[in-house]
């Protein structure tokens, strides 16, 4: 039976570097001969009809959809990398309970750096009051308390961040006991 894939969940504020890291991490999985898929918050929102906004309820539904896809892929042996703000601890913990191999990766970056970078021009608009419920400005971001890996994207190179994540991945992939337990749990 196919063992469950890993779920690598990148959480952090808009512009912190989640999507970039997700893409680079995917390349590492591929180079290692692994089946892998990236689920990006923006992508999942677009492909489910763009019906959701950014209220707590809508973000909850967004994460619920992503979690559903994660479980489906992971239980069929595909490794899944998620890049979504997922600002609520409770929502992230709910996903953790659904899959056997879950790594919460906090892609951290100080707000002043995000505002300065402002790659999408959203912080400027949010600070001007033009975007309601904007994470970190007018909406909460609940920092992970005990993530498997914390990335400081303003201080580390992408390669350094990837190495930290890959250490967790390699350790988990190399643990035959965990793999055995999972292959019998389906
Ligand atoms: S989540 O909170 O539901 O996990 P998700 O990761 O899918 O969010 O989408 C975040 C992206 O939507 C951001 O990168 C940003 O480009 C855009 N966005 C638009 N409005 C908001 C908002 N109010 N708060 C945060 N991000 C927003």
């Amino acid at each position: 039976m196919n063992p469950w894939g890993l779920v690598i969940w990148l959480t952090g504020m808009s512009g912190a570097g989640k999507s970039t890291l997700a893409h680079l991490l995917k390349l590492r999985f591929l180079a290692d001969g692994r089946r892998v898929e990236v689920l990006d918050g923006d992508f999942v929102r677009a492909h489910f009809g763009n019906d959701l906004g950014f209220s707590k309820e809508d973000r909850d539904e967004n994460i619920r959809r992503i979690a559903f896809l994660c479980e489906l892929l992971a239980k069929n042996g595909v490794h899944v990398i998620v890049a979504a703000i997922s600002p609520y601890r409770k929502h992230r913990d709910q996903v953790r309970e659904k899959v056997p191999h879950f790594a919460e990766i906090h892609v951290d970056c100080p707000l002043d750096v995000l505002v300065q970078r402002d790659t999408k021009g959203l912080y400027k608009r949010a600070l001007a009051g033009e975007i309601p419920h904007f994470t970190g400005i007018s909406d909460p971001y609940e920092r992970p308390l005990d993530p498997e890996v914390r990335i400081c994207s303003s201080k580390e190179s992408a390669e350094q961040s990837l190495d930290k994540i890959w250490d967790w991945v390699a350790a988990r992939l190399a643990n035959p006991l965990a793999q055995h337990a999972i292959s019998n749990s389906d």
Side-chain angles (χ1 to χ4, degrees):
M1 200 181 301
N2 218 355
W4 281 70
L6 313 180
V7 175
I8 315 293
W9 190 281
L10 306 177
T11 170
M13 298 213 279
S14 179
K18 301 180 297 300
S19 299
T20 305
L21 274 180
H23 175 69
L24 293 171
L25 189 57
K26 177 180 177 176
L27 298 181
R28 281 218 184 176
F29 272 98
L30 291 175
D32 204 39
R34 312 270 175 185
R35 290 195 298 159
V36 62
E37 201 53 75
V38 171
L39 298 175
D40 196 287
D42 286 331
F43 174 87
V44 174
R45 282 169 177 274
H47 282 265
F48 275 83
N50 252 334
D51 56 328
L52 300 177
F54 291 87
S55 64
K56 188 170 185 184
E57 294 68 34
D58 281 5
R59 290 184 201 253
D60 186 12
E61 175 60 17
N62 186 36
I63 300 309
R64 209 188 55 74
R65 292 174 183 178
I66 295 173
F68 172 76
L69 294 172
C70 263
E71 200 178 347
L72 215 56
L73 288 164
K75 83 173 176 193
N76 284 291
V78 179
H79 302 296
V80 190
I81 305 164
V82 173
I85 297 179
S86 45
Y88 295 102
R89 216 168 271 141
K90 184 173 150 211
H91 298 166
R92 299 191 299 263
D93 288 345
Q94 283 168 349
V95 190
R96 183 185 285 278
E97 281 166 20
K98 284 179 186 285
V99 293
H101 295 299
F102 182 84
E104 188 176 21
I105 314 291
H106 182 199
V107 185
D108 196 11
C109 186
L111 184 61
D112 57 327
V113 177
L114 294 173
V115 169
Q116 207 183 354
R117 280 188 199 157
D118 206 7
T119 36
K120 297 181 186 169
L122 294 174
Y123 282 95
K124 188 163 177 256
R125 291 180 49 213
L127 284 166
E130 291 170 17
I131 309 178
H133 299 294
F134 196 83
T135 307
I137 304 291
S138 48
D139 222 47
Y141 177 76
E142 297 177 357
R143 291 169 63 82
L145 297 176
D146 190 20
E148 274 70 13
V149 180
R150 202 184 304 273
I151 301 299
C152 300
S153 67
S154 61
K155 295 189 190 136
E156 301 164 18
S157 68
E159 276 306 305
Q160 286 172 322
S161 302
L162 281 178
D163 286 346
K164 282 163 67 172
I165 301 172
W166 196 257
D167 282 349
W168 184 91
V169 169
R172 190 49 70 105
L173 289 173
N175 183 343
L177 269 182
Q179 290 291 330
H180 179 73
I182 291 150
S183 58
N184 288 325
S185 71
D186 194 16

